[in-house]
């Protein structure tokens, strides 16, 4: 029989494992968080849009303040993984981005639902999906 302490310890490990094992089965690519990582850096370095990283990892809070060292992140779901991305620079606007990245504005907005229709809420360091086809996100 387990002692109470052993049982509690096992329960805690099981809970941690459940959190750590949170990658979806249909995860196309993954990344393990390092100390001092930020969502913007992960997005920029690994070509995953700000929207997609948040969509696929609902455990990340809105300010991206709760990343844990060693935490596995899914970067994209198979069939819904935009890998064509652009990191917004100071002074960018949607006209510049659509021209330079050769993507229709309607497609840019469809693939980045976090961007408002007049693009007034984009910010330097944000990563946009600039694929020129609409990614079939299901959630
Ligand atoms: C994470 O990606 C690596 C390849 O980079 C792969 O070997 C591994 O199976 C993936 N893990 C999961 C849980 O999908
Ligand atoms: C991200 O995209 C750039 C530009 O296409 C490419 O050079 C780079 O290798 C990509 N990085 C990763 C991690 O896929």
């Amino acid at each position: 029989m387990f002692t109470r302490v052993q049982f509690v310890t096992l329960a805690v490990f099981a809970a941690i494992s459940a959190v750590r094992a949170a990658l979806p089965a249909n995860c196309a690519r993954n990344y393990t968080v390092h100390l001092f990582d930020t969502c913007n850096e992960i997005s920029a370095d690994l070509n995953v849009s700000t929207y997609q990283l948040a969509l696929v990892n609902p455990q990340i809070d809105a300010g991206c303040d709760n990343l844990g060292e060693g935490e596995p992140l899914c970067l994209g779901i198979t069939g819904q993984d935009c890998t064509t991305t652009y990191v917004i620079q100071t002074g960018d606007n949607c006209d510049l981005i659509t021209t330079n990245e050769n993507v229709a504005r309607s497609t840019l907005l469809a693939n980045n639902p976090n961007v408002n229709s007049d693009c007034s809420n984009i910010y330097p360091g944000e990563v946009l999906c600039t694929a020129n086809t609409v990614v079939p996100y299901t959630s």
Side-chain angles (χ1 to χ4, degrees):
M1 286 297 290
F2 294 123
T3 65
R4 185 174 169 78
V5 169
Q6 283 173 323
F7 180 78
V8 169
T9 305
L10 283 173
V12 168
F13 274 110
I16 291 171
S17 303
V19 171
R20 288 281 158 98
L23 286 184
N26 49 357
C27 182
R29 47 192 181 119
N30 66 74
Y31 173 73
T32 302
V33 172
H34 295 93
L35 199 60
F36 305 127
D37 274 350
T38 66
C39 283
N40 281 354
E41 286 169 356
I42 293 169
S43 291
D45 290 351
L46 298 173
N47 298 341
V48 50
S49 71
T50 298
Y51 171 75
Q52 183 172 299
L53 187 68
L55 177 72
V56 179
N57 300 278
Q59 77 278 16
I60 301 176
D61 68 21
C64 193
D65 296 320
N66 64 340
L67 289 180
E69 187 182 13
E71 177 182 358
L73 299 180
C74 182
L75 302 180
I77 299 293
T78 302
Q80 306 173 35
D81 184 14
C82 178
T83 57
T84 306
T85 55
Y86 173 74
V87 183
I88 295 176
Q89 311 294 309
T90 304
D92 271 343
N93 58 52
C94 276
D95 288 339
L96 276 174
I97 294 167
T98 53
T99 301
N100 292 343
E101 302 302 307
N102 195 25
V103 53
R105 189 174 179 118
S106 58
T107 306
L108 185 76
L109 292 175
N111 285 336
N112 301 277
N114 52 329
V115 174
N116 61 19
S117 59
D118 64 359
C119 289
S120 60
N121 65 342
I122 62 173
Y123 54 90
E126 182 179 12
V127 181
L128 299 186
C129 168
T130 51
N132 57 20
T133 57
V134 174
V135 179
Y137 291 119
T138 52
S139 57

